[in-house]
Amino acid sequence: MRRYYRGGVAIVIGAMVMANAAWACSRYLWNDNEQGIYVARTMDWPESTDPVITVFPRGMERNGGMLGAEVVVEENAATWTSKYASMVTTVYGIGAADGFNEKGLAFHMLYLTATDFGPRDPGKPGMQAGLWGQYVIDNAATVEEALDILEDVQIVMAEARGSKATVHLAIEDATGDSAIIEYIDGESMIHHGREFRIMTNDPPYDQQLALLEELDFSNPSSDTPLPGNVKPTDRFQRIAYYSSMLPEPQNEREAVASALAIARNVSVPFGAPYKGFGIYNTEYRTVMNLSALRYYFELTTSPNVIWADLSELDLDEGSPVQVLDPNNIELSGDVSSDFTVAERSPY
């Protein structure tokens, strides 16, 4: 069973009660400026996820039941051939946490303590959670299409390096449409609408929206109370506050600068975890320009921002998978020509 929530509060926020989240990613969609559709996210993790920016051509054959060499879905695993080319950041080489396709449909997976995909139903094609986002951008061009195709598969819990994929999914497209998808007690909860622009971690999104009605950031001032801690609810409030103050950008450079500023404001400084906090440092930040199919990437331990244009790479079926290791301090600026052929496909 799936529950859909359409409409709702976009950027008003109040005091919240939350569970202690271990990973503190954040996502902000900027879909009401005149330059384009931009989305920023932070990736927070207790260790390096070995991120590799990877370009997949059209026509990739996938087996959703595999986690690297491990079989996660033994019966009726989902299989598909990708309709669209994509650019993603892989995690441990067995899945992706962030990416977009050639149609401008993007996804971001963030941690959510309450995630429960429910018992396995072998009557439905099963897919390990690490490929949830990849499945979406392989097969859909819009948020509406993505929600439709997700009806056909079941997400199955996966585990890598001792951490379960207790995640929720944000998707958005080049029109500015947005959806946030969570599984609570085995039931899918879908918040669909371009007003759902902010996402952090706990509590579940319906609880966040129910509690986001006490402080109105539509008329922010220097006297507006604003929390400064690293927990998800505090980061949610800061995104709401600062995003309501963003000036209209005059060009892409200004738009990316604003989106990155939001992501940096809610980042956890390098060197965490802090004793007793259960919060881990920000490993990297990304910004996508879904109107121009451009991907910006900032590794926390690198002084440089890099970017690549998906449209400048070979995306035809039969073309090789291409990769770029962002952990190269010499990389800077446009790196579209620096991709190399992958020795093997990550998944």
Side-chain angles (χ1 to χ4, degrees), residues 2-282:
R2 298 173 185 258
R3 291 185 181 177
Y4 282 82
Y5 301 84
R6 298 180 186 270
V9 180
I11 56 169
V12 292
I13 189 157
M16 301 182 200
V17 178
M18 55 160 286
N20 183 30
W23 297 282
C25 304
S26 304
R27 170 259 200 180
Y28 168 60
L29 170 63
W30 196 11
N31 57 4
D32 59 354
N33 72 88
E34 296 181 1
Q35 290 298 319
I37 305 300
Y38 294 85
V39 59
R41 73 87 47 87
T42 67
M43 177 65 174
D44 301 351
W45 204 246
E47 63 182 5
S48 172
T49 60
D50 302 328
V52 177
I53 304 175
T54 303
V55 175
F56 291 113
R58 307 175 198 102
M60 295 293 298
E61 295 185 0
R62 312 276 193 207
N63 184 330
M66 301 299 296
L67 183 73
E70 178 187 357
V71 178
V72 175
V73 183
E74 296 185 353
E75 184 179 355
N76 194 16
T79 60
W80 69 93
T81 301
S82 63
K83 294 171 58 178
Y84 304 112
S86 61
M87 180 180 289
V88 305
T89 298
T90 58
V91 176
Y92 300 138
I94 53 177
D98 195 61
F100 68 104
N101 68 17
E102 61 185 304
K103 297 297 183 181
L105 177 66
F107 78 92
H108 323 272
M109 289 200 295
L110 281 70
Y111 183 82
L112 177 66
T113 305
T115 297
D116 176 8
F117 296 117
R120 175 74 178 112
D121 176 8
K124 204 169 194 179
M127 175 174 58
Q128 61 99 346
L131 293 180
W132 190 3
Q134 188 69 59
Y135 175 80
V136 166
I137 62 173
D138 276 353
N139 294 293
T142 66
V143 169
E144 288 278 6
E145 287 184 20
L147 295 176
D148 286 342
I149 64 169
L150 284 172
E151 295 277 2
D152 300 329
V153 295
Q154 181 184 26
I155 312 303
V156 178
M157 183 60 72
E159 182 174 335
R161 301 193 184 183
S163 297
K164 290 186 176 181
T166 51
V167 292
H168 51 171
L169 183 74
I171 56 177
E172 62 277 327
D173 62 32
T175 72
D177 195 10
S178 173
I180 293 172
I181 309 165
E182 300 176 338
Y183 280 84
I184 309 297
D185 295 328
E187 184 178 347
S188 176
M189 307 290 187
I190 300 174
H191 300 267
H192 180 200
R194 58 187 297 123
E195 69 272 25
F196 298 117
R197 298 186 290 162
I198 300 170
M199 179 176 173
T200 54
N201 312 107
D202 300 294
Y205 209 68
D206 59 341
Q207 295 179 39
Q208 289 218 28
L209 293 178
L211 296 169
L212 295 182
E213 299 179 356
E214 293 185 8
L215 294 179
D216 187 352
F217 290 154
S218 60
N219 293 295
S221 74
S222 59
D223 294 324
T224 302
L226 195 64
N229 216 313
V230 292
K231 61 185 181 181
T233 49
D234 285 13
R235 287 182 282 109
F236 200 111
Q237 291 187 50
R238 293 206 300 282
I239 295 175
Y241 175 79
Y242 285 108
S243 64
S244 69
M245 299 171 63
L246 290 180
E248 179 65 34
Q250 300 303 304
N251 49 50
E252 181 182 21
R253 183 173 179 177
E254 291 187 4
V256 172
S258 291
L260 267 178
I262 297 291
R264 289 167 178 157
N265 186 275
V266 294
S267 293
V268 181
F270 187 79
Y274 309 121
K275 185 177 180 180
F277 275 54
I279 297 292
Y280 297 100
N281 60 225
T282 297

Side-chain angles (χ1 to χ4, degrees), residues 321-339:
V321 175
Q322 300 172 73
V323 294
L324 180 79
D325 182 0
N327 190 25
N328 179 350
I329 203 168
E330 296 182 357
L331 292 175
S332 180
D334 188 350
V335 295
S336 302
S337 62
D338 293 321
F339 283 77

